Amino acid sequence: MTKHKRAFVGVAGATALVAALTACGGNQGAEAGDGLSGTVNVDGSSTVGPLSTAAAEFFQEENPGVQVTVGISGTGGGMEKFCNGELDVTGASRPMDEEEAAVCETNGVSFEEFHVANDALTVVVSKENDWATCLTVEQLQAIWGPNSEVTNWNQVDESFPDEPLELFGAGTDSGTFDYFTEAVNGEEGATRTDYAPSEDDNVTVQGVSGSPGGMGYFGFSYYEENADTLTAVEIDNGDGCVAPSVEAVQDGSYAPLGRPLFIYPTTSALERPEALAFVEFFVEEHAQIAEDAQFIPLNPEQEEELNTDLEALKENADS
């Protein structure tokens, strides 16, 4: 994948990408010079944030009259703002849940859902850790379960050394927290509480890399950026050890920690030309945006479904 720092794509890189997109056909609804102006307010998942930031920068290169602001409140925090009518678009590292949908309905906020990329939720350990190269889902449950009393690596596996276990992970407003707890422990929010939580994945990077017995989890691109100080743990879901990778997520073998990433625009925002153009751009150019932001593109089946959703969006906009 193209190596860029998350959320800090340079102007030269953005210009090159826009030129490439234009040469390939680009987005027909948001071409330079069409006179679009206004603002688009985006918030939500810290994981999806770099995707939204890349999309915003590339879109604004073609549409300098539109200001796209991108905030990071976490999936839960973004959904709260979104369903209160405060946002045009929110990003999420899990699907909207029933309670959030009910709040949106109560507040008269209707929306569309687009699956724009994939991610490999990655379990990481320190470079000093040369023993936990692969863990089973059952071992992750033993470590992260709500009643866990595991405090040393030799309690995970007797062959592991006598090394204190230090845990770092996502805060409770994070979609990463929701996804990890459900995927590993079988219930959203079910986890031990004696770990160091943070909405900032860089805190987890620092904590794990600075502790021989450290362990944490976050999105794949954060691992890629910090692979010099962290090791990604392979996961055994019953069919052998599988490392997080583009191929393993797309073919479904990286289970249960491969996950979809979404954007949700409000239908009222889509009635505004600048917001509609931004969403169309994001959806049409999702593969290049995902690559630039170091995420995993959709597989062919997901791509076909997204194209169907995009056509429906365009038909609704034209009607």
Side-chain angles (χ1 to χ4, degrees):
M1 292 185 185
T2 305
K3 301 299 287 184
H4 287 285
K5 290 294 184 182
R6 287 170 69 99
F8 292 97
V9 181
V11 172
T15 302
L17 177 60
V18 170
L21 295 178
T22 302
C24 295
N27 175 50
Q28 300 304 313
E31 293 180 357
D34 63 4
L36 287 174
S37 62
T39 60
V40 182
N41 190 7
V42 183
D43 206 315
S45 164
S46 61
T47 301
V48 181
L51 284 167
S52 299
T53 298
E57 290 187 354
F58 304 152
F59 177 76
Q60 289 172 136
E61 284 287 326
E62 292 189 351
N63 300 274
V66 181
Q67 180 182 9
V68 182
T69 62
V70 179
I72 296 176
S73 298
T75 294
M79 287 293 184
E80 183 176 356
K81 291 181 179 181
F82 182 77
C83 291
N84 285 334
E86 300 173 31
L87 303 176
D88 298 316
V89 181
T90 193
S93 57
R94 57 160 173 78
M96 179 182 287
D97 65 32
E98 292 182 0
E99 291 184 7
E100 291 162 342
V103 173
C104 275
E105 183 176 3
T106 298
N107 292 339
V109 176
S110 56
F111 54 85
E112 301 290 341
E113 176 189 270
F114 297 99
H115 176 189
V116 293
N118 295 308
D119 188 24
L121 206 161
T122 305
V123 177
V124 293
V125 294
S126 164
K127 281 292 187 186
E128 297 180 59
N129 183 331
D130 59 2
W131 58 89
T133 56
C134 177
L135 294 174
T136 66
V137 174
E138 289 75 18
Q139 287 174 320
L140 289 177
Q141 291 170 349
I143 295 169
W144 288 98
N147 300 314
S148 176
E149 296 181 357
V150 174
T151 58
N152 195 295
W153 278 101
N154 62 18
Q155 294 174 270
V156 179
D157 187 306
E158 61 182 13
S159 69
F160 291 168
D162 178 9
E163 182 69 49
L165 182 67
E166 293 189 60
L167 297 176
F168 304 83
T172 56
D173 282 339
S174 169
T176 297
F177 171 84
D178 295 337
Y179 195 94
F180 183 83
T181 52
E182 183 169 5
V184 171
N185 295 324
E187 180 182 349
E188 187 176 300
T191 185
R192 67 190 296 170
T193 58
D194 57 338
Y195 74 99
S198 177
E199 306 297 341
D200 184 353
D201 291 337
N202 290 308
V203 173
T204 298
V205 170
Q206 294 167 6
V208 175
S209 62
S211 170
M215 169 191 274
Y217 60 88
F218 40 54
F220 183 58
S221 58
Y222 265 104
Y223 163 69
E224 285 198 311
E225 286 187 4
N226 295 280
D228 56 335
T229 60
L230 298 172
T231 297
V233 177
E234 296 182 2
I235 305 300
D236 184 351
N237 193 37
D239 295 316
C241 299
V242 179
S245 70
V246 172
E247 295 75 19
V249 170
Q250 289 185 330
D251 67 19
S253 61
Y254 185 67
L257 297 181
R259 60 175 176 169
L261 303 177
F262 303 92
I263 59 168
Y264 291 84
T266 66
T267 53
S268 60
L270 295 174
E271 295 173 358
R272 305 195 332 260
E274 71 278 10
L276 174 62
F278 172 69
V279 172
E280 286 188 354
F281 181 91
F282 201 146
V283 174
E284 286 185 338
E285 309 303 345
H286 65 90
Q288 186 64 64
I289 291 168
E291 181 179 349
D292 191 88
Q294 296 181 294
F295 284 87
I296 298 170
L298 305 180
N299 65 31
E301 292 77 18
Q302 294 166 339
E303 178 94 28
E304 183 177 354
E305 182 177 352
L306 183 62
N307 287 337
T308 299
D309 293 340
L310 177 60
E311 289 306 312
L313 175 65
K314 289 181 174 181
E315 288 175 6
N316 290 336
D318 292 338
S319 61

